[in-house]
Amino acid sequence: VDKEFDPNQWSLRNFEMGRYLGNGKFGHVYLARERESKFILALKVISKRQLNLCQLTGSLTREVEILTHLKHPNIISFYGFFQTEKRVYLMLEWAPLGDLYGLMKKQQNKRFNEKMASNIIKQITMAIGYMHSMNVIHRDLKPENILCFNDDVFKISDFGWSVHTPSNRRKTLCGTLDYLCPEMINYQSHDNRVDVWTIGVLAYELVVGRPPFESHNENDTKRKIQHLQYQFPQWCSSDFLNFVKGILQHDCNKRPTIQQILNHPWIVQ
Ligand SMILES: CC(=O)NC[C@@H]1CCN(c2c(Cl)cnc3[nH]c(-c4cn(C)nc4C)nc23)C1
């Protein structure tokens, strides 16, 4: 029996656990159903020991802080959290169709047609614009961190690397480098224009089926990013070429604003 039973406090007792969905930045995610209401949600289970081992307690606090304040149709809903002695549980919106990376690989040529990709980029750009208006940068935008909902709705999730701007916090180069912008590779201070760069990388990957600077090893990827070494397949539209070239610019002052991205012909089409 709980020492101090708090009726408002959620606990595992409130849920029937479903299948394992996958793992996010900090922990494992399961399908769950709230017993009373039969409401379906995703429950992210995080071990406190793991958090302490990797000194990620600060990042988790930041993720919860950010998720609590961000409310947008293209950002995953966060219903709250509860904890036991050993674990933290985040109650998140359930995405029936899984993440965008999985959905892309299920497409016929393992990529989206430009109309579909443009629709996805428009939604993600609106979410990024909203985050920037709340002084939050995501910094880890990629297909694996976007979740898919039935009626063609896409939402950003996994805010494990988000920070409040401006920040020159070092991002340990874990995971894929494909989305890293030049200023972050050189550990210069960076601001919300890093997310603008990643919108260009994401648009390229959704249309072409692979990221623009993909290589066999990290140094090649970094070199290609620093020299802007990438090509377009000849079947890409000129609007698309113009859209991506306009974003993937070294000088972050030359990159378009969120509003300019949303007004681009490739998005408005
Ligand atoms: C984007 C992201 O945070 N990915 C890491 C976690 C893995 C499962 N997470 C889910 C989260 Cl946090 C929410 N909804 C999900 N739905 C699925 C899913 C559905 N299908 C058919 N297949 C899968 C997988 N997964 C989730 C998130």
Side-chain angles (χ1 to χ4, degrees):
V1 178
D2 290 89
K3 290 184 287 301
E4 66 285 342
F5 180 71
D6 167 1
N8 305 325
Q9 182 62 33
W10 290 103
S11 82
L12 219 40
R13 278 194 304 273
N14 298 100
F15 301 97
E16 283 164 347
M17 296 305 284
R19 73 181 177 91
Y20 177 72
L21 291 174
N23 54 350
K25 187 75 62 204
F26 302 113
H28 299 293
V29 184
Y30 296 86
L31 203 51
R33 187 170 71 171
E34 201 278 318
R35 294 183 193 280
E36 293 284 300
S37 61
K38 304 253 183 286
F39 188 80
I40 301 275
L41 68 151
L43 206 54
K44 189 184 269 191
V45 184
I46 299 153
S47 128
K48 289 182 179 176
R49 207 176 67 82
Q50 288 284 352
L51 273 185
N52 295 325
L53 281 179
C54 323
Q55 284 104 31
L56 283 174
T57 325
S59 297
L60 178 69
T61 315
R62 211 171 19 251
E63 176 169 9
V64 171
E65 169 79 9
I66 284 169
L67 280 171
T68 309
H69 292 94
L70 293 185
K71 299 272 176 253
H72 186 275
N74 298 107
I75 292 179
I76 189 171
S77 295
F78 174 63
Y79 305 124
F81 72 97
F82 55 91
Q83 54 188 314
T84 59
E85 189 195 340
K86 290 199 172 71
R87 295 187 185 88
V88 180
Y89 297 84
L90 305 187
M91 298 183 279
L92 294 160
E93 181 177 10
W94 175 55
L97 303 184
D99 66 59
L100 188 61
Y101 184 79
L103 192 68
M104 180 171 68
K105 293 300 174 192
K106 283 184 194 127
Q107 303 302 306
Q108 198 191 349
N109 310 320
K110 303 207 183 304
R111 52 184 158 82
F112 295 103
N113 63 55
E114 289 195 24
K115 182 116 189 61
M116 178 71 173
S118 161
N119 168 36
I120 297 169
I121 293 296
K122 180 176 183 177
Q123 295 183 40
I124 297 309
T125 303
M126 288 191 285
I128 294 282
Y130 165 75
M131 286 170 54
H132 290 176
S133 72
M134 305 287 277
N135 284 330
V136 173
I137 46 179
H138 190 276
R139 296 201 311 175
D140 193 13
L141 198 64
K142 55 189 176 187
E144 295 86 333
N145 286 345
I146 294 169
L147 289 170
C148 311
F149 294 74
N150 295 318
D151 38 6
D152 270 357
V153 169
F154 301 89
K155 304 194 183 192
I156 294 179
S157 85
D158 221 342
F159 287 77
W161 287 110
S162 312
V163 285
H164 285 89
T165 47
S167 146
N168 57 2
R169 196 184 315 274
R170 288 205 166 178
K171 166 182 176 149
T172 49
L173 298 184
C174 72
T176 169
L177 294 175
D178 287 312
Y179 278 73
L180 227 46
C181 58
E183 62 269 26
M184 280 185 81
I185 288 193
N186 308 321
Y187 292 118
Q188 288 156 4
S189 83
H190 55 276
D191 59 20
N192 54 21
R193 285 168 298 192
V194 308
D195 285 340
V196 169
W197 172 277
T198 53
I199 289 169
V201 178
L202 181 66
Y204 183 102
E205 180 165 7
L206 298 185
V207 170
V208 178
R210 57 173 174 75
F213 308 110
E214 190 172 59
S215 311
H216 299 296
N217 66 64
E218 289 194 356
N219 291 330
D220 277 357
T221 305
K222 282 186 191 171
R223 186 177 42 75
K224 286 182 178 176
I225 292 170
Q226 280 158 333
H227 296 93
L228 279 186
Q229 221 175 317
Y230 69 103
Q231 291 89 19
F232 293 93
Q234 83 283 2
W235 39 260
C236 292
S237 74
S238 56
D239 271 351
F240 176 66
L241 264 65
N242 180 278
F243 180 76
V244 173
K245 281 180 181 170
I247 292 176
L248 297 187
Q249 303 216 40
H250 255 210
D251 179 351
C252 52
N253 297 305
K254 290 202 181 107
R255 292 175 206 159
T257 63
I258 293 293
Q259 200 45 56
Q260 285 167 329
I261 291 176
L262 291 171
N263 292 336
H264 190 280
W266 190 68
I267 296 290
V268 171
Q269 62 181 332

